[in-house]
Amino acid sequence: MRKLDSLLVAGLLAVALAPFFWEDFPSMAALYGLMTGISILYGLGCLRGPMETPLWRQRNVPAEVQRLWARRMGVLYLINAALCPLGWLLAAFVSFDTDFILLAQIAGFLLVSLLGLLPLRSAGKRPAA
């Protein structure tokens, strides 16, 4: 996941700096693509990856709980990625400010990321083995 974190930071930095080098850079389109792409990568990483984090390992979260929460987070990241295409499809039929799609994706990404703290609460109540 550290590679994905670096990719996210590098992508956001590139989108922020690109208008200085390319005057007509499509910043909003790049942000939609970046948030959708990184949500897909995080989702697949949670579903197919090692299904643990160093913090979970350090706090002795049981393997079954790690697997369960990694799968839940993976599915929620993929749902977050689906917000963009579904939002644009809805915008074809209903008039609304499409910037809310990006805001919803960013908020959803942050909320799903914070879900990784919930297994730590249950692990904190158990004695370390």
Side-chain angles (χ1 to χ4, degrees):
M1 287 289 194
R2 294 203 185 272
K3 290 180 183 178
L4 290 177
D5 293 340
S6 299
L7 180 65
L8 175 62
V9 170
L12 289 173
L13 188 61
V15 170
L17 295 177
F20 291 112
F21 302 106
W22 181 12
E23 188 174 320
D24 295 329
F25 182 74
S27 297
M28 289 303 288
L31 285 173
Y32 283 115
L34 180 67
M35 287 308 299
T36 301
I38 205 74
S39 293
I40 290 170
L41 291 175
Y42 267 81
L44 294 176
C46 287
L47 291 174
R48 301 188 72 200
M51 296 189 190
E52 68 176 20
T53 66
L55 191 57
W56 287 355
R57 196 174 337 119
Q58 178 186 15
R59 296 278 295 267
N60 297 320
V61 176
E64 310 84 47
V65 174
Q66 290 182 23
R67 198 171 321 113
L68 175 71
W69 279 95
R71 287 186 177 149
R72 286 179 180 170
M73 289 174 64
V75 169
L76 290 173
Y77 277 124
L78 292 176
I79 290 171
N80 190 55
L83 288 177
C84 184
L86 292 175
W88 281 103
L89 180 64
L90 180 64
F93 299 105
V94 179
S95 178
F96 66 95
D97 188 4
T98 55
D99 291 345
F100 287 116
I101 300 169
L102 182 62
L103 291 174
Q105 270 193 308
I106 292 170
F109 186 85
L110 293 174
L111 288 174
V112 174
S113 296
L114 289 175
L115 278 179
L117 298 175
L118 286 179
L120 297 176
R121 286 188 54 174
S122 64
K125 296 177 183 174
R126 300 178 191 188

